[in-house]
Amino acid sequence: MWTGFAVGVVFRFLLYAVGAHDFLKEHLELSTPITSSSRLEECLFLLDEGISPYVGDICHHTPLLLWLLLPLRRHAPALARFAAIVAVDLAVALLLRTIAAQYAAARARAGPSWVEAQVRPRVLTGEAETEAADVAPPSEGDLLSPAFVGLLYFLNPITLASCAAQSLQNVQHLSIAASIALAGAGRGGASASALAAALYLCPWTPVVLVLPCAWLADCPWR
């Protein structure tokens, strides 16, 4: 597993070294005005000069995010800022792995599904009835390990390109994945805080997770 994560990190820094950011940053499928690193740099420059970045139509980032990233712009080199984006991507992959492990554990406690537990068909062989062999293929949950789920995100070409474009959408992914993982672990308060951060960074979309996270955090079978 860790070898796959190391490969993903190396790929990201190779893309950074060859200057892929300049080519990928303008692609809307990878970066939008809300997550664009170029817009973010402009906003941080204006904020550092004492000018409100919200004058005009340049800034689409939240004020708290700007204040948190301003010290990073002032004191950290460009490579360190890119390393922070890679670290966020890695954190999202580990959280997805945790969510997959929680799902696998919950499924093991729940037992077989109604499809797996249904009465098997019977066939006639001569005069006696024998039970047919169970030839149902294994489900996807039996085939995909939690580590595979995390690597599927971390080594995804779109995720690699988005990281190389230095898009901030992985910060939104981090808050959403953290809210689900914390709810699955029964930490309702921490899950609510992560979900509030997700709503702050990306309004409206994470609203659909409010009830599922509340149910997961207080699930009776844990």
Side-chain angles (χ1 to χ4, degrees):
M1 179 189 73
W2 295 109
T3 302
F5 285 132
V7 170
V9 171
V10 170
F11 275 151
R12 283 162 168 80
F13 279 99
L14 284 177
L15 290 172
Y16 176 81
V18 300
H21 170 258
D22 295 331
F23 171 72
L24 297 173
K25 65 181 181 180
E26 300 299 333
H27 288 257
L28 290 178
E29 62 270 19
L30 302 175
S31 182
T32 68
I34 299 178
T35 62
S36 171
S37 60
S38 300
R39 292 288 186 95
L40 178 64
E41 285 292 332
E42 294 175 4
C43 296
L44 292 176
F45 173 78
L46 292 175
L47 188 62
D48 201 19
E49 295 296 323
I51 304 171
S52 173
Y54 298 100
V55 176
D57 193 32
I58 296 177
C59 185
H60 298 279
H61 300 283
T62 57
L64 184 58
L65 181 65
L66 295 181
W67 282 107
L68 289 176
L69 294 179
L70 185 59
L72 195 63
R73 179 187 181 275
R74 287 174 175 173
H75 307 295
L79 183 60
R81 297 198 293 269
F82 180 74
I85 297 176
V86 175
V88 172
D89 252 358
L90 180 60
V92 174
L94 293 175
L95 285 171
L96 291 176
R97 174 183 173 273
T98 300
I99 294 170
Q102 292 170 347
Y103 169 77
R107 181 170 179 175
R109 287 193 299 267
S113 64
W114 68 272
V115 175
E116 297 167 344
Q118 66 183 346
V119 178
R120 297 175 181 175
R122 296 178 178 274
V123 296
L124 290 174
T125 57
E127 297 179 356
E129 264 192 356
T130 58
E131 191 173 340
D134 189 4
V135 293
S139 63
E140 293 181 0
D142 299 326
L143 297 175
L144 302 181
S145 68
F148 179 82
V149 173
L151 290 173
L152 189 65
Y153 169 85
F154 199 62
L155 297 177
N156 189 296
I158 297 297
T159 308
L160 287 168
S162 176
C163 183
Q166 300 184 25
S167 171
L168 291 182
Q169 64 180 345
N170 59 358
V171 178
Q172 301 173 1
H173 297 162
L174 178 65
S175 57
I176 292 174
S179 66
I180 299 174
L182 290 169
R187 301 178 180 178
S191 175
S193 299
L195 191 56
L199 284 165
Y200 181 72
L201 293 171
C202 184
W204 303 116
T205 304
V207 168
V208 298
L209 293 176
V210 172
L211 292 180
C213 286
W215 182 83
L216 275 176
D218 194 34
C219 199
W221 42 256
R222 183 174 297 104

